Amino acid sequence: EAGVTQFPSHSVIEKGQTVTLRCDPISGHDNLYWYRRVMGKEIKFLLHFVKESKQDESGMPNNRFLAERTGGTYSTLKVQPAELEDSGVYFCASSGTRGYEQFFGPGTRLTVL
Amino acid sequence: AQSVTQLDSQVPVFEEAPVELRCNYSSSVSVYLFWYVQYPNQGLQLLLKYLSGSTLVKGINGFEAEFNKSQTSFHLRKPSVHISDTAEYFCAVTHSYTGNQFYFGTGTSLTVIP
């Protein structure tokens, strides 16, 4: 069974540009989560989807971040326009009915120059 | 609100020596506790978890952790480390009633020295 996959693995962009990160959860998992780790700090929760609905987006830093999950399958996280402080590793996780059993992807390392 | 403290950001240890990675948490509600490991260029992998029951939890690769409610700790231990244990280790908690949003510590980088 395929795990959680994320694309791209790395992205380097200029300040002010737009970047879109993609996450494909484990097949059949209704719950999808985004987390972010800024260098040297803790991994922080961004938001939680149940199918295509946003269940909790309390961790989204500001309105430059837009997450979608059309059709309840894969999810995208768009940053527009990117700022220097957006640099970090963005993790996606998915779970089935038990939300505490989250499976994480390898992360996307975003560098904003 | 919940928070997690990993007191040691870097832990060097010689091969075959024991290791303990410390984790303390703060929460006003009942929690589940986890340790994840991230090997270089890989994602987060679950090492072990405490949900309920016995406070001593055994995980993969010979790791174990003990839940201490009075000290709000969940320290990770291994009696004899291998080179392959070199990785970053994250302690995490989640609310036991909702179990959705995870709160992570800042991570501990374990380096095993030959």
Side-chain angles (χ1 to χ4, degrees):
Chain A
E1 178 183 318
V4 177
T5 58
Q6 293 187 244
F7 182 83
S9 57
H10 293 83
S11 180
V12 181
I13 61 172
E14 300 279 337
K15 176 183 171 181
Q17 289 185 322
T18 297
V19 63
T20 300
L21 314 181
R22 173 171 169 144
C23 169
D24 285 78
I26 291 172
S27 178
H29 279 187
D30 287 340
N31 293 285
L32 187 149
Y33 313 83
W34 283 98
Y35 292 84
R36 176 175 75 171
R37 187 187 190 201
V38 172
M39 188 163 56
K41 299 200 172 182
E42 72 271 30
I43 301 170
K44 275 193 170 180
F45 169 83
L46 296 179
L47 88 160
H48 168 209
F49 282 100
V50 178
K51 297 185 180 178
E52 65 275 9
S53 299
K54 292 176 185 173
Q55 179 77 10
D56 180 356
E57 51 183 332
S58 60
M60 294 287 266
N62 52 61
N63 60 10
R64 294 185 294 102
F65 289 75
L66 175 64
E68 295 180 321
R69 193 183 181 196
T70 307
T73 54
Y74 71 91
S75 174
T76 58
L77 180 64
K78 180 190 285 188
V79 185
Q80 179 182 29
E83 298 289 345
L84 299 178
E85 63 265 25
D86 301 331
S87 295
V89 180
Y90 290 75
F91 291 101
C92 176
S94 71
S95 72
T97 54
R98 288 181 284 198
Y100 56 80
E101 289 188 339
Q102 296 184 19
F103 297 86
F104 284 79
T108 293
R109 181 174 296 277
L110 174 64
T111 303
V112 182
L113 302 176
Chain B
Q2 290 140 73
S3 67
V4 177
T5 302
Q6 291 182 247
L7 294 168
D8 307 303
S9 59
Q10 296 185 0
V11 173
V13 62
F14 285 104
E15 192 175 13
E16 298 183 7
V19 69
E20 179 179 80
L21 306 184
R22 296 179 292 169
C23 173
N24 288 84
Y25 69 93
S26 169
S27 177
S28 57
V29 298
S30 178
V31 296
Y32 294 148
L33 296 145
F34 306 81
W35 275 98
Y36 281 85
V37 59
Q38 185 179 24
Y39 298 105
N41 301 315
Q42 294 187 31
L44 295 170
Q45 180 181 355
L46 180 65
L47 265 182
L48 49 78
K49 62 179 182 279
Y50 172 81
L51 304 181
S52 65
S54 173
T55 57
L56 182 62
V57 180
K58 293 190 184 296
I60 61 172
N61 301 337
F63 283 93
E64 63 180 32
E66 184 151 22
F67 170 53
N68 188 319
K69 189 174 182 180
S70 63
Q71 297 187 4
T72 60
S73 68
F74 190 54
H75 301 332
L76 181 70
R77 296 190 293 258
K78 186 170 183 178
S80 175
V81 295
H82 303 291
I83 297 291
S84 58
D85 293 323
T86 294
E88 191 152 23
Y89 293 79
F90 294 92
C91 182
V93 304
T94 190
H95 190 312
S96 62
Y97 293 109
T98 61
N100 285 314
Q101 180 177 159
F102 274 35
Y103 297 84
F104 285 87
T106 49
T108 297
S109 178
L110 174 66
T111 301
V112 180
I113 305 163

